[in-house]
Amino acid sequence: MSHLQSLLLDTLLGTKHVDSAALIKIQERSLCVASPGFNVMPSDVQTLVNGFAKNPLQARRGGLYFKGKDYRCVRADEYSLYAKNENTGVVVVKTHLYLLVATYTEGMYPSVCVEATESLGDYLRKKGS
């Protein structure tokens, strides 16, 4: 298991309020690592990268289509994108090199998912990643 995958499993899934997580390389627009069973398709990678490459306000207004679901965007700025669909959601945090993606499902606390994902994003930015 790689160091990055260990970070995902320990700091995100370890909270029990993150269902799945992944790191996407921004420049290559490709999946770097993901939690077991979390298959992020190339079209989903493109959607997330575009959410930051374009004006984040567009994502805020238009929402997000991710893994076959339409999500209502509740936050979109230079470093963070939060979107929800009923009782599920996706949190995306941008670092220098990566997009950190975390999802939560019904019964999980979105605020814990957000806090854990933002904290890991801050850690990766400080490390230059």
Side-chain angles (χ1 to χ4, degrees):
M1 184 180 315
S2 75
H3 172 68
L4 290 174
Q5 190 168 30
S6 292
L7 277 175
L8 290 181
L9 295 177
D10 294 343
T11 62
L12 297 182
L13 273 65
T15 67
K16 306 291 188 217
H17 293 279
V18 174
D19 182 58
S20 51
L23 270 179
I24 295 169
K25 294 179 184 176
I26 296 171
Q27 286 293 85
E28 293 87 354
R29 296 176 183 244
S30 64
L31 186 64
C32 179
V33 295
S35 58
F38 190 43
N39 300 315
V40 183
M41 304 305 293
S43 59
D44 292 321
V45 169
Q46 190 65 39
T47 295
L48 296 176
V49 171
N50 286 346
F52 286 98
K54 296 179 180 177
N55 181 347
L57 201 53
Q58 269 184 301
R60 178 85 189 230
R61 289 182 183 139
L64 182 70
Y65 186 77
F66 180 69
K67 296 192 67 60
K69 288 184 181 178
D70 283 314
Y71 288 86
R72 182 175 55 87
C73 196
V74 294
R75 177 178 176 171
D77 59 35
E78 186 179 351
Y79 292 106
S80 303
L81 193 152
Y82 307 164
K84 62 187 292 179
N85 175 314
E86 297 180 11
N87 295 324
T88 65
V90 61
V91 177
V92 186
V93 174
K94 181 180 176 187
T95 70
H96 304 296
L97 303 176
Y98 302 107
L99 293 182
L100 178 58
V101 183
T103 66
Y104 61 87
T105 59
E106 188 172 358
M108 295 179 170
Y109 294 125
S111 60
V112 176
C113 180
V114 166
E115 183 179 343
T117 309
E118 290 285 1
S119 293
L120 182 54
D122 288 342
Y123 169 81
L124 291 172
R125 280 192 287 272
K126 288 176 186 169
K127 291 288 186 183
S129 296

